[in-house]
Amino acid sequence: MEERRIGVYVCHCGSNIADTVDCAQVAEYAKDLPNVVVSRDYKYMCSEPGQNLIKDDIKQNKLNRVVVASCSPRMHEPTFRRALQDAGLNQYFFEMANIREHCSWVHTDRAAATQKAKALVSAAVRRVYHHEPLEAREVPVNPNVLVMGGGVAGIQAAIEVADSGNLVYLVEKEPSIGGHMAMFDKTFPTLDCAACILTPKMTIAGQHPNIKLLSYSEVEDVSGYIGNFKVRIKKKARFIDEDKCTGCGRCQEICPTKVASEFEQGLGQRKAVYKPFPQAVPNKVVIDAVNCRHLKGRAQGKDICRICQKGIPNKSIAGCETGAINFDQKDEILEVDVGNIIVATGFQQFDPSVIYQYGYGHLPNVVTGLQFERISNASGPTNGEILLASGKKPEAVAILHCVGSRDANYHKYCSRVCCMYSLKYSHLLREKLPDADVYQLYIDMRCAGSGYEEFYERLQEEGVNFIRGRAGEITDTAESPEEKDKLIVLVEDTLVRRKRRLPVDMVILSCALKPRADTEKMARTFGLSRKADGFFLEKHPKLDPVATVTDGVFIVGCCQGPKDIPDTVAQASAAAARALALISKGKVEIEAATATIDEEHCAGCKVCIELCPFKAISYDETKKVSRVNEAVCKGCGVCVAACPSGAIKGKHFTDEQIMSEIEGVLV
Amino acid sequence: MKASYFPGCSSSEGGAKAYGSSSQAVSKVLDTELVELEDWNCCGSTPYSSFDELTSLALSARNLALAKKKGKDLVTPCSSCYVMLNRTNAYLKQYPKVKAQVDEALAAGGLRYNGTVRVRHLLDVFVNDIGYDAITAKVKKNLAGLKVAAYYGCQVVRPKFGFDHPENPQSLDKLIESLGGEAVSFPLKSRCCGGSLVISEENIALDLSRKLLDSARSNGAECIATVCPLCQTNLDVYQSRVNKKFNTDFKIPILFFTQLMGIAFGLGEKELGFKTNIVSAGKVLAKYA
Amino acid sequence: MTTTTFEPKIVGFLCNWCSYTGADLAGISRKKFAPNVRVVRVMCSGRVEPSFVMKAFESGADGVVILGCHPGDCHYAEGNYKTLRRYPLLKKTLAQLGVEDERVRLEWVSASEGDRFAAIVNEMTEQVRRLGPFHQNRGKNVKA
């Protein structure tokens, strides 16, 4: 067997490791470990001089195995593997000992930490002895991209990728793209009309030759790996032939069934056949199977209504002129191949009815932020006039910050945009109701962004009453004549140190942005993890905010965490750039640590075949042995552990390697 | 079913004697035996615990240690006892140093306690263990037409995640309905009556009580049902003082919820003790007698 | 004569995607915990064979923890279910070999649960410390 010449490098990481672990001592200790020919300690191994130390030693000392004791391999394993490769050594002849995240950062006793570091180094040295040369596999990258979610994040990402000439499948659950931004009235701090800046992009996305828009569709299953994903999409039946529908809206006018409109946040109504909003893209209607009289009747064997299709002949009212209505339409399943996936599924608004004392749901005129957007919007249920449920104009309005956010009972995090959109609401109120009193009840004012602080100052000058205090209760129990028929906000004004009762007519609750209800299901489908707050987990919060641990799957926008439109658009462009980088390279390296079966020892028991989560193992009927398809194998090792004959070897995680690591770690 | 019963000072010989006797009587009708805990002592109580917390915890723990020997849940009709005993369980779990001191005190009395007795409020037991259907089944005189404000007081539903919602509890409302009565809308149903402040800060307590009486009346209530001896005292005994101070004319009977159940079950004065209610319930309950 | 506290040596098998990352998070957050657990990284908790656990005890370990992703969240979809299935059988076998039940533990730690990792390390260390060194007690005090 080839003589092993192992080099050990103990990193100080500045003072991160050296403050707690005696690096020189560890390096000294490593010198005496079997097969170690070089052992050094150095301040920053990941730096260029640090890496050169390794490369020089490989050349001069003819090293054929390297151990670096420093940070987590999840941080720098690729860095050092590349260094080995540069010096002409197979990158798998490398092992790392984590003496930072798992040692110096978490222990206080210097002697104990140093002893543990020695054990971890000893384990790495014994393990690397058994490392074998492996070649990382290269697979081609499919240039198509899937964008999941058609809000501003998804639209932006889709357009950027499509503009480069690659095909994008843009999948949106709702009948129209636009997401939450399409509901907004104006956007802070510039007070641009949201629809005005979004609809041009929506139109481009709807008409772009490289974007295949799959609206009213959902992703059911994702399989494969980076560069080679297979996605199964369900295109839900609209009961409308999209090629024939011109979006004229006549069916919508004559449909006799009215239900609460989701787009209008329950404040307005729509019909059973409807376009969610006038600027919908695609500009087609959809029939809601839950409320449509004809479709409901079908389930009971009846054939009723069909007014949208037939019109009302005895009143000379015509139905659909192009024959686009098709009650027999079925859901369609599509299977597409893509190389990258960008998840842009957005957020959900917190439902404040759980905070009973704020009165949402049982007191009138208590509305959420999105509801107020619709009230203020010129194409909303009140045509842009600020009106109470009674139709009268409010004389006083209170806006409550942090409803569901910064709250140990619901969501601990700050939703980041509520201070700004609360200021926006105050502005819209002062503009449309110049005589009304407007109160903003805040804990802190968070206005960090371009033009944000200036916007705050502007609102102070517009005469809005800012009260620093979190509202305790909204009640309709009057305690004095001027409180009669009002909503009274109870708050402690902590700047003047008094409890106050504010009689108002309308209360706007600035609700938290929370992860969507289907996040768990989405996480399983796309192989994503979630953070403690429920949003999807990024690869690294600072250095890699759009990538995830699943290579080839990116997360952008509010599904990663609450954020405003500028940050959402920036992330969307970032993910598009990452996808395009991969596409332009054309191929990608994937993990070499797969399983392989020694056919001599395989007894053909097939235990491994049943266990493989990816169906990567097949049975050879002629030879009566099992075989691993290494292109599909993901290297989990479940079969390796289960094989009764020990015939399966898990590359880079062999029994030998792990057993010696165990021995080493217990010195 | 059987449970260990902790009446507390008010419900046994104190001002809420009627609560104690009606609880026992009603439980019997519901085939539930409340076996009074032998040799029980003061629960530690709200005022005492603000004065000398450690001693009050030890007092409370003694009751729990005695209950442990009987091996059953400990049920109390008094909201203050309910909170005190539960708080003791929580503190012993959360603060090992306090537990060590309390263990020492208990050991001096030859007792040990490992923290596993569940403390329940009588309302919880009726509503969740016995159930509304079983209660309706025993109704002899349906209370149809009686408008009742279900008053929980602040303690029985707090801290959060107890057996009912802190801001909008429904268990007592539903109990009243299961007797045939109408539980009126009562927004202040889980707000404070002033509690023991009625002694040291009478004005504050009277103000709080007035708000409660006013809200109940303006929502159409003919009487108020309570689950706590102190709430009952404040609203009933001090109702005349509220009237004097605020120039109001409240004449709202304040009943223990078990007295109401007793009327519906056809029990009499001996068990229900209406004579001890200051604001007479005679007129309101006349047609159900 | 001074009494020295027994410092148990515990081997932790951590899966790369969830528990190892969770342990890294504990480090990044500078949580402080006992230094007695030494980590061996595997790609999935499903890679952990019973022989690894026995090797650990044979090589001087006083305790073993196996950490994986929460059921449903395994990076490889089902790997941790296999671990879950193997575990009761492993415990039974170990008992017959004289290993006390409390010396081996299976827990789920997600990538965002740095606190939980630290808590498990501390709990396990104390638990094993109370049992004493493995070699001394081997064969005694064990209910098969």
Side-chain angles (χ1 to χ4, degrees):
Chain A
M1 198 195 325
E2 189 201 17
E3 184 205 349
R4 299 289 195 264
R5 298 176 64 76
I6 304 177
V8 176
Y9 301 87
V10 183
C11 186
H12 293 222
C13 192
S15 60
N16 280 307
I17 298 178
D19 266 3
T20 318
V21 169
D22 188 337
C23 301
Q25 209 187 96
V26 176
E28 194 57 43
Y29 163 78
K31 266 206 185 96
D32 297 325
L33 293 174
N35 301 295
V36 172
V37 298
V38 153
S39 177
R40 305 186 195 285
D41 61 289
Y42 183 68
K43 268 211 166 349
Y44 296 104
M45 282 308 300
C46 55
S47 66
E48 203 177 312
Q51 292 186 47
N52 285 335
L53 263 184
I54 301 177
K55 293 187 211 180
D56 291 342
D57 275 343
I58 291 175
K59 296 207 181 87
Q60 279 145 29
N61 282 298
K62 306 222 181 346
L63 299 182
N64 52 26
R65 300 284 187 282
V66 172
V67 167
V68 171
S70 59
C71 50
S72 169
R74 296 182 65 87
M75 187 94 215
H76 275 309
E77 190 169 55
T79 315
F80 294 117
R81 277 186 175 173
R82 245 169 303 159
L84 263 73
Q85 221 169 13
D86 283 349
L89 212 55
N90 185 291
Q91 59 175 328
Y92 285 87
F93 284 148
F94 172 72
E95 180 66 10
M96 264 179 98
N98 184 340
I99 61 170
R100 190 182 70 171
E101 280 86 336
H102 289 191
C103 194
S104 71
W105 272 353
V106 294
H107 305 313
T108 44
D109 182 306
R110 198 173 166 79
T114 306
Q115 179 57 32
K116 181 168 166 177
K118 288 182 189 170
L120 294 170
V121 168
S122 143
V125 165
R126 279 184 211 231
R127 192 196 204 281
V128 85
Y129 180 97
H130 297 284
H131 280 199
E132 284 161 19
L134 299 172
E135 290 309 320
R137 300 171 291 145
E138 255 182 15
V139 291
V141 170
N142 185 312
N144 299 342
V145 176
L146 173 76
V147 175
M148 177 73 215
V152 62
I155 291 170
Q156 179 73 19
I159 293 175
E160 299 235 4
V161 174
D163 276 350
S164 73
N166 294 292
L167 178 64
V168 177
Y169 294 99
L170 178 54
V171 178
E172 167 56 51
K173 187 173 180 181
E174 299 296 324
S176 167
I177 54 176
H180 282 108
M181 190 174 166
M183 297 176 188
F184 296 168
D185 181 18
K186 309 268 196 298
T187 55
F188 58 78
T190 46
L191 300 169
D192 288 307
C193 148
C196 306
I197 54 178
L198 183 62
T199 43
K201 288 204 193 234
M202 283 168 61
T203 310
I204 295 175
Q207 296 172 351
H208 202 296
N210 292 331
I211 296 182
K212 191 144 195 314
L213 176 53
L214 297 166
S215 60
Y216 210 45
S217 305
E218 290 182 40
V219 167
E220 292 207 314
D221 191 62
V222 176
S223 60
Y225 49 93
I226 179 178
N228 301 274
F229 292 109
K230 264 198 159 41
V231 185
R232 193 172 73 227
I233 302 168
K234 178 165 85 172
K235 208 169 178 317
K236 298 185 286 198
R238 276 184 188 246
F239 305 103
I240 302 289
D241 189 337
E242 283 186 56
D243 291 329
K244 296 192 180 146
C245 176
T246 60
C248 71
R250 173 175 307 172
C251 52
Q252 193 172 242
E253 265 174 57
I254 61 180
C255 171
T257 308
K258 281 193 192 156
V259 294
S261 164
E262 297 89 347
F263 189 78
E264 302 293 2
Q265 298 292 304
L267 297 176
Q269 294 190 309
R270 60 161 172 84
K271 302 290 185 72
V273 56
Y274 68 104
K275 244 191 281 183
F277 53 97
Q279 309 94 334
V281 170
N283 187 19
K284 318 265 176 212
V285 291
V286 61
I287 298 183
D288 161 14
V290 172
N291 291 297
C292 166
R293 289 184 205 195
H294 174 73
L295 287 171
K296 277 204 292 196
R298 270 198 183 199
Q300 294 161 355
K302 294 192 264 197
D303 186 354
I304 51 172
C305 195
R306 290 205 198 220
I307 289 179
C308 51
Q309 207 175 30
K310 303 193 289 197
I312 310 171
N314 60 4
K315 287 199 186 151
S316 309
I317 296 178
C320 174
E321 284 190 334
T322 59
I325 302 198
N326 176 4
F327 288 110
D328 296 312
Q329 198 178 74
K330 301 265 177 285
D331 292 345
E332 223 184 288
I333 304 284
L334 285 106
E335 295 226 358
V336 300
D337 293 325
V338 296
N340 286 282
I341 299 176
I342 299 178
V343 177
T345 47
F347 69 92
Q348 190 173 302
Q349 184 177 244
F350 173 78
D351 178 359
S353 53
V354 292
I355 307 182
Y356 189 81
Q357 57 270 40
Y358 282 171
Y360 183 77
H362 59 95
L363 289 177
N365 299 311
V366 178
V367 299
T368 62
L370 283 178
Q371 283 180 319
F372 186 74
E373 298 276 358
R374 297 314 305 157
I375 292 172
S376 179
N377 196 308
S379 53
T382 57
N383 295 316
E385 273 193 81
I386 315 288
L387 299 174
L388 302 171
S390 60
K392 290 219 279 264
K393 292 195 185 173
E395 290 170 352
V397 181
I399 304 172
L400 272 52
H401 289 222
C402 306
V403 175
S405 309
R406 303 187 70 187
D407 190 332
N409 296 309
Y410 306 106
H411 300 285
K412 281 195 177 162
Y413 56 83
C414 163
S415 291
R416 197 147 155 190
V417 295
C418 317
C419 283
M420 289 310 297
Y421 72 62
S422 301
L423 286 170
K424 178 183 78 175
Y425 296 160
S426 288
H427 169 79
L428 294 168
L429 286 162
R430 296 290 297 152
E431 194 180 51
K432 299 188 177 185
L433 304 167
D435 295 325
D437 289 324
V438 179
Y439 301 94
Q440 269 187 245
L441 277 58
Y442 68 95
I443 306 177
D444 296 288
M445 284 306 293
R446 295 184 162 177
C447 312
S450 197
Y452 289 16
E453 183 66 23
E454 294 86 337
F455 191 63
Y456 176 30
E457 214 186 295
R458 173 178 173 180
L459 263 305
Q460 289 175 71
E461 285 165 19
E462 285 186 14
V464 171
N465 299 296
F466 288 95
I467 298 180
R468 190 186 77 178
R470 190 177 209 162
E473 186 185 358
I474 314 286
T475 176
D476 61 353
T477 309
E479 283 188 7
S480 61
E482 62 261 15
E483 290 185 1
K484 201 165 165 334
D485 298 327
K486 295 276 196 187
L487 290 171
I488 302 123
V489 182
L490 267 66
V491 62
E492 181 191 348
D493 186 337
T494 59
L495 287 175
V496 300
R497 294 161 70 190
R498 271 188 24 215
K499 285 210 304 223
R500 294 176 67 172
R501 294 174 66 94
L502 307 166
V504 299
D505 301 298
M506 178 190 263
V507 173
I508 304 173
L509 301 175
S510 298
C511 297
L513 273 61
K514 57 181 274 196
R516 290 173 56 101
D518 58 7
T519 304
E520 200 183 322
K521 179 161 151 266
M522 283 284 110
R524 304 244 171 107
T525 308
F526 291 98
L528 299 171
S529 299
R530 280 167 300 147
K531 297 191 277 251
D533 57 19
F535 292 100
F536 292 130
L537 179 66
E538 60 281 295
K539 197 154 190 203
H540 190 285
K542 282 185 270 287
L543 300 178
D544 215 349
V546 297
T548 63
V549 282
T550 306
D551 290 332
V553 178
F554 302 95
I555 46 174
V556 302
C558 288
C559 66
Q560 185 254 355
K563 56 178 63 68
D564 55 21
I565 294 166
D567 285 351
T568 299
V569 170
Q571 279 199 338
S573 300
R578 294 288 290 271
L580 289 172
L582 217 56
I583 295 170
S584 87
K585 212 164 148 201
K587 50 186 159 73
V588 68
E589 256 184 38
I590 49 174
E591 188 55 64
T594 50
T596 173
I597 298 179
D598 176 359
E599 296 185 2
E600 290 259 325
H601 288 107
C602 174
C605 71
K606 300 194 200 169
V607 164
C608 55
I609 297 179
E610 298 304 316
L611 291 175
C612 179
F614 306 100
K615 306 197 185 39
I617 312 183
S618 56
Y619 185 66
D620 182 333
E621 288 294 341
T622 342
K623 286 191 178 172
K624 302 271 194 257
V625 293
S626 300
R627 190 167 294 123
V628 176
N629 177 351
E630 295 196 45
V632 179
C633 171
K634 296 215 176 173
C636 67
V638 164
C639 59
V640 184
C643 177
S645 335
I648 310 186
K649 185 164 94 165
K651 287 187 199 166
H652 208 59
F653 285 90
T654 65
D655 285 356
E656 251 182 342
Q657 289 161 358
I658 297 180
M659 295 289 196
S660 23
E661 194 178 345
I662 295 172
E663 276 176 24
V665 99
L666 287 166
V667 296
Chain B
M1 61 163 266
K2 255 194 191 168
S4 283
Y5 178 62
F6 184 86
C9 56
S10 316
S11 305
S12 44
E13 296 300 319
K17 220 160 44 170
Y19 196 14
S21 60
S22 56
S23 293
Q24 289 279 27
V26 160
S27 300
K28 218 160 152 191
V29 172
L30 293 169
D31 302 315
T32 301
E33 210 189 318
L34 298 177
V35 180
E36 189 168 327
L37 189 67
E38 224 180 281
D39 196 29
W40 61 268
N41 53 265
C42 168
C43 70
S45 93
T46 330
Y48 195 74
S49 65
S50 0
F51 174 66
D52 182 346
E53 193 170 45
L54 184 58
T55 312
S56 80
L57 286 171
L59 279 174
S60 187
R62 183 174 179 278
N63 292 311
L64 293 167
L66 292 171
K68 177 71 191 164
K69 282 210 223 160
K70 298 293 176 189
K72 296 198 183 23
D73 285 353
L74 188 60
V75 180
T76 178
C78 171
S79 298
S80 192
C81 300
Y82 172 68
V83 170
M84 258 325 287
L85 292 164
N86 267 310
R87 186 194 299 168
T88 305
N89 268 335
Y91 274 34
L92 291 179
K93 213 171 172 180
Q94 207 177 346
Y95 304 114
K97 285 204 186 119
V98 168
K99 179 167 197 305
Q101 289 172 293
V102 167
D103 282 345
E104 206 184 308
L106 289 176
L111 292 167
R112 301 176 48 228
Y113 179 59
N114 63 356
T116 55
V117 171
R118 244 188 357 156
V119 178
R120 318 273 307 282
H121 191 281
L122 192 61
L123 176 64
D124 176 17
V125 173
F126 282 172
V127 155
N128 290 315
D129 290 3
I130 294 170
Y132 299 112
D133 291 337
I135 291 169
T136 307
K138 301 286 184 184
V139 170
K140 291 213 179 92
K141 282 192 194 112
N142 192 291
L143 300 178
L146 183 65
K147 294 194 183 185
V148 188
Y151 181 52
Y152 299 76
C154 64
Q155 295 203 80
V156 78
V157 290
R158 294 182 179 87
K160 219 171 130 173
F161 313 123
F163 71 91
D164 208 344
H165 194 281
E167 295 294 330
N168 185 25
Q170 292 293 320
S171 50
L172 182 58
D173 295 64
K174 291 207 191 108
L175 181 64
I176 290 165
E177 279 160 21
S178 71
L179 302 170
E182 184 190 329
V184 301
S185 161
F186 187 27
L188 302 182
K189 57 174 35 167
S190 63
R191 296 306 163 93
C192 182
C193 65
S196 1
L197 284 180
V198 77
I199 299 166
S200 52
E201 299 278 347
E202 189 177 309
N203 285 326
I204 295 178
L206 290 181
D207 192 37
L208 290 171
S209 294
R210 181 190 64 82
K211 287 192 187 145
L212 292 165
L213 293 164
D214 193 45
S215 176
R217 186 168 67 176
S218 52
N219 277 292
E222 296 172 82
C223 61
I224 299 179
T226 66
V227 302
C228 169
L230 198 44
C231 293
Q232 201 276 343
T233 303
N234 284 9
L235 292 176
D236 183 32
V237 175
Y238 285 84
Q239 205 172 124
S240 57
R241 287 212 199 171
V242 168
N243 282 334
K244 195 153 169 226
K245 179 161 189 251
F246 296 100
N247 225 349
T248 45
D249 61 349
F250 297 117
K251 252 218 249 342
I252 309 174
I254 316 291
L255 309 171
F256 291 108
F257 81 104
T258 43
Q259 287 179 311
L260 209 59
M261 288 173 80
I263 291 277
F265 290 170
L267 300 174
E269 171 59 29
K270 189 158 152 273
E271 293 105 332
L272 305 182
F274 280 108
K275 279 214 193 77
T276 60
N277 288 51
I278 305 288
V279 178
S280 168
K283 243 202 223 145
V284 172
L285 297 175
K287 52 176 169 156
Y288 309 101
Chain C
M1 191 181 102
T2 49
T3 44
T4 46
T5 339
F6 156 59
E7 286 302 333
K9 285 199 192 125
I10 301 168
V11 176
F13 293 99
L14 271 56
C15 77
N16 181 60
W17 303 99
C18 284
S19 42
Y20 194 94
T21 311
D24 275 355
L25 180 61
I28 293 167
S29 322
R30 310 295 198 273
K31 298 254 166 282
K32 300 291 182 243
F33 47 85
N36 304 61
V37 172
R38 284 126 193 231
V39 172
V40 171
R41 181 169 74 134
V42 288
M43 289 315 277
C44 177
S45 59
R47 176 68 184 92
V48 178
E49 322 187 7
S51 54
F52 290 175
V53 178
M54 305 204 202
K55 175 75 178 175
F57 283 114
E58 192 195 34
S59 308
D62 303 299
V64 169
V65 285
I66 306 166
L67 302 183
C69 309
H70 286 270
D73 294 341
C74 177
H75 184 82
Y76 302 102
E78 304 162 7
N80 55 358
Y81 292 140
K82 319 287 195 263
T83 323
L84 191 56
R85 289 204 312 234
R86 288 179 193 146
Y87 185 65
L89 210 52
L90 170 68
K91 281 296 203 84
K92 262 208 153 97
T93 317
L94 289 174
Q96 288 173 357
L97 295 171
V99 181
E100 295 95 315
D101 188 73
E102 294 92 337
R103 290 194 189 272
V104 177
R105 208 165 134 176
L106 172 66
E107 291 285 352
W108 311 122
V109 174
S110 84
S112 58
E113 288 180 319
D115 285 340
R116 182 164 153 73
F117 176 73
I120 291 172
V121 169
N122 282 335
E123 270 169 41
M124 188 64 184
T125 305
E126 286 320 302
Q127 201 169 298
V128 177
R129 199 195 300 276
R130 276 196 293 272
L131 288 171
F134 174 63
H135 296 280
Q136 268 180 24
N137 294 338
R138 193 191 299 193
K140 304 178 193 164
N141 312 321
V142 174
K143 294 192 221 48

